[in-house]
Amino acid sequence: MSRGRDLLSRLHCGTEDDDKPGFRIVKGIRSFEGLLGELEGQDKVRLITLGELLSLMAKSRQDGTGNLISQLTELFDCPDMVNPPVLKNTIIATRPFVSILAGTTQSWLAKALTAADIMGGFGNRWLYFSGNAKEPNPNPAKVDAGRRDILVSKIDASRQWAITELPDGELIISNGAGILFDQYYRPYYHRCQTDGLLPTLIVRLQDFLWKLAVLYAVMDHSKVIREEHISPAIKVAGYLEASVMEVFSNFNQSVDKEKEMRLLEYLRQAGKPVPKRDIYRGLTLSAKELDVIAMSLLKLGLIRSGHLKKSPKGKKAIETYAAVFDGPTDSSDTLTH
């Protein structure tokens, strides 16, 4: 990640002194309003880097930044203009482009993302890169400055070619490339049609595939996307889909397990029956989520359901949950395992 940032910084080193450069690497997001301030103007590109994805998601849950996820989701589609009417100061961003680079572990990802984030479209706007670790390398070689500079020059040459030769930014797709995509798309489309988190997470891979094909063509200074450009893009899409399956295969289980333990601990600390509405407010859960999580604990015998003995006259009895054991006894540990 740091080497990627270094390459981008060298590509845009001429704009470092500008107050509002076209491209800038931004470390973290404090709020959507702050990000919009960075994007104010025309054609601003911002790469947001995060040491840990969980920090972004934790900030988005805060009351003052509750609109962060929805706004980032909207920015993914590169709107022609962003001009929220709710801000005190008028900020207009024309053709903004935002990308986020972050790392995390599989267990922390389950803490960062919720099923609602995924089903709502935020989760499938990311690319997930997963794989096996390489062999230990206690003394990595120093970056070869000569090879790095050659790479930077080649990328810059491709960028300049696109500016001068593709003023409207349009590329043509060859018949051969179209046929290859057709062969990929049909089975991929059917994989996206089933229910569940995993199909939802891969529905935008076709978009990323074409973005890669465009980049491969531009690196060849080609105005036509040919077979040799879309073929490696299809292979990358296959790897990205495999990464999604690897990263999220146990997502529901890990998230539900964590919520179960949070609910159990919450009820143990209360030491008495707790109304359902107090529980889902205290644990930031929906009523439906609470019922699903509680069901498995009820089946295990770790909690019990009931009703308050006294309820307001004419009102429906208030449902409650209570821990069967007040503390982590041998019996409760056995049931939990």
Side-chain angles (χ1 to χ4, degrees), residues 6 13 40 48 67 76 80 110 123 135 140 142 174 185 199 230-231 233 242 268 279 297 318:
D6 177 64
C13 60
E40 185 177 15
I48 301 162
N67 64 340
F76 174 87
D80 290 333
E135 290 297 318
K142 183 180 179 181
S174 71
Y185 181 77
I230 199 166
S231 180
R268 284 175 175 172
I279 298 172
L297 295 177
I318 298 174

Side-chain angles (χ1 to χ4, degrees), residues 262-263 266 274-291 319 321:
R262 285 175 56 208
L263 172 58
Y266 184 88
V274 182
K276 286 174 60 175
R277 64 172 181 269
D278 293 343
I279 298 172
Y280 61 69
R281 289 172 182 171
L283 296 179
T284 325
L285 298 169
S286 68
K288 185 176 180 180
E289 281 181 310
L290 175 59
D291 288 339
E319 295 182 76
Y321 289 123

Side-chain angles (χ1 to χ4, degrees), residues 114-145:
T114 67
D117 294 330
I118 296 173
M119 301 307 290
F122 183 69
N124 63 33
R125 283 167 165 80
W126 294 79
L127 290 174
Y128 302 92
F129 300 89
S130 177
N132 297 323
K134 297 180 179 179
E135 290 297 318
N137 185 9
N139 299 300
K142 183 180 179 181
V143 172
D144 187 323

Side-chain angles (χ1 to χ4, degrees), residues 5-18:
R5 288 195 298 265
D6 177 64
L7 285 176
L8 285 169
S9 296
R10 292 174 186 276
L11 277 167
H12 298 277
C13 60
T15 63
E16 287 181 350
D17 296 331
D18 295 352

Side-chain angles (χ1 to χ4, degrees), residues 20 26 28-40 46 48 55-56 59-79 81-94 96-100 122:
K20 285 283 186 177
V26 181
I29 307 176
R30 293 186 177 180
S31 66
F32 174 67
E33 287 71 19
L35 175 59
L36 196 59
E38 279 283 342
L39 298 172
E40 185 177 15
R46 294 295 181 264
I48 301 162
S55 64
L56 170 66
K59 183 171 288 293
S60 70
R61 312 294 183 206
Q62 295 173 3
D63 293 339
T65 56
N67 64 340
L68 188 56
I69 288 181
S70 61
Q71 297 293 354
L72 287 174
T73 301
E74 181 182 348
L75 283 172
F76 174 87
D77 295 317
C78 297
M81 181 178 293
V82 179
N83 181 25
V86 296
L87 299 182
K88 293 180 180 179
N89 300 320
T90 300
I91 298 179
I92 299 176
T94 306
F97 186 91
V98 177
S99 190
I100 303 177
F122 183 69

